[in-house]
């Protein structure tokens, strides 16, 4: 597996991976209208690409295919996205990406984890700060504000 920095040329592939993963992996925890609000089919690729600017972003390539991606705001420690191709889950890709992203944080690391992702982050030492409802395109979705302190990482 190769892990490298995100490039603008990765925008379309990461957007497609995001859509496919949300609609496949998260389907057991969210209703179809929630999935469509979270990961719409009509994503603005330019806006998506711009959302990576100013963040430390990585992609994972396995067998010549985009296998996952993630990004973090190094100054605040906010881990915004971490997604793995549905066909590659359970192979350590999310762990490898998250390890590298967490190391880039100046301090504690926070994340807004989906119902589906919560156990992954709990195994990594994140604690639930609060359950919350977030609005996407007029639809409410449950997620969890979670925090991993530098102390719990040591």
């Amino acid at each position: 597996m190769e892990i490298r920095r995100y490039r603008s040329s990765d925008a379309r592939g990461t957007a497609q991976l995001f859509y496919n993963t949300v609609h496949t992996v998260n389907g057991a925890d969210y209703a179809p209208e929630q999935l469509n609000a979270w990961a719409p089919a009509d994503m603005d690729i330019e806006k998506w690409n711009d959302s990576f600017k100013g963040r430390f972003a990585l992609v994972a390539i396995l067998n010549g295919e985009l296998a996952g991606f993630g990004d973090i705001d190094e100054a605040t420690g906010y881990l915004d996205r971490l997604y793995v191709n549905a066909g590659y889950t359970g192979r350590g890709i999310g762990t490898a990406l998250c390890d590298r992203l967490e190391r880039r944080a100046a301090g504690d690391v926070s994340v807004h984890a989906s119902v589906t992702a919560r156990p992954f982050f709990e195994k990594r030492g994140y604690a639930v700060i609060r359950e919350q409802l977030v609005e996407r395109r007029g639809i409410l979705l449950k997620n969890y504000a979670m925090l991993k302190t530098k102390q719990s990482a040591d």
Side-chain angles (χ1 to χ4, degrees), residues 3-151:
I3 296 181
R4 63 165 172 76
R5 293 290 299 263
Y6 172 89
R7 303 174 190 143
S8 291
S9 59
D10 296 319
R12 192 162 302 284
T14 54
Q16 189 64 52
L17 186 150
F18 169 71
Y19 176 87
N20 291 340
T21 299
V22 167
H23 285 265
T24 304
V25 175
N26 300 94
D29 297 311
Y30 294 91
E33 63 272 9
Q34 292 175 308
L35 300 173
N36 288 327
W38 179 2
D42 62 345
M43 287 181 55
D44 180 333
I45 299 300
E46 187 175 318
K47 189 174 178 183
W48 173 262
N49 184 53
D50 286 345
S51 72
F52 287 96
K53 292 180 181 171
R55 298 186 182 165
F56 181 74
L58 298 171
V59 297
I61 308 295
L62 185 62
N63 301 324
E65 186 177 358
L66 180 63
F69 71 94
D71 66 306
I72 192 167
D73 181 314
E74 295 171 284
T76 66
Y78 178 63
L79 198 159
D80 189 14
R81 290 168 282 209
L82 182 64
Y83 291 91
V84 174
N85 178 315
Y88 289 128
T89 58
R91 297 189 189 188
I93 296 164
T95 297
L97 285 166
C98 201
D99 286 347
R100 286 166 178 81
L101 293 169
E102 287 174 353
R103 283 196 294 266
R104 298 299 293 225
D108 297 344
V109 180
S110 64
V111 66
H112 292 164
S114 68
V115 172
T116 314
R118 177 182 171 178
F120 171 83
F121 287 107
E122 285 178 326
K123 286 178 188 169
R124 294 187 60 82
Y126 288 74
V128 173
I129 304 303
R130 69 183 168 282
E131 180 179 305
Q132 55 193 12
L133 290 175
V134 295
E135 185 180 330
R136 297 286 180 265
R137 295 181 174 222
I139 304 291
L140 294 177
L141 298 97
K142 178 167 72 170
N143 73 13
Y144 301 93
M146 301 182 76
L147 183 68
K148 182 177 186 179
T149 63
K150 280 290 188 187
Q151 289 176 336

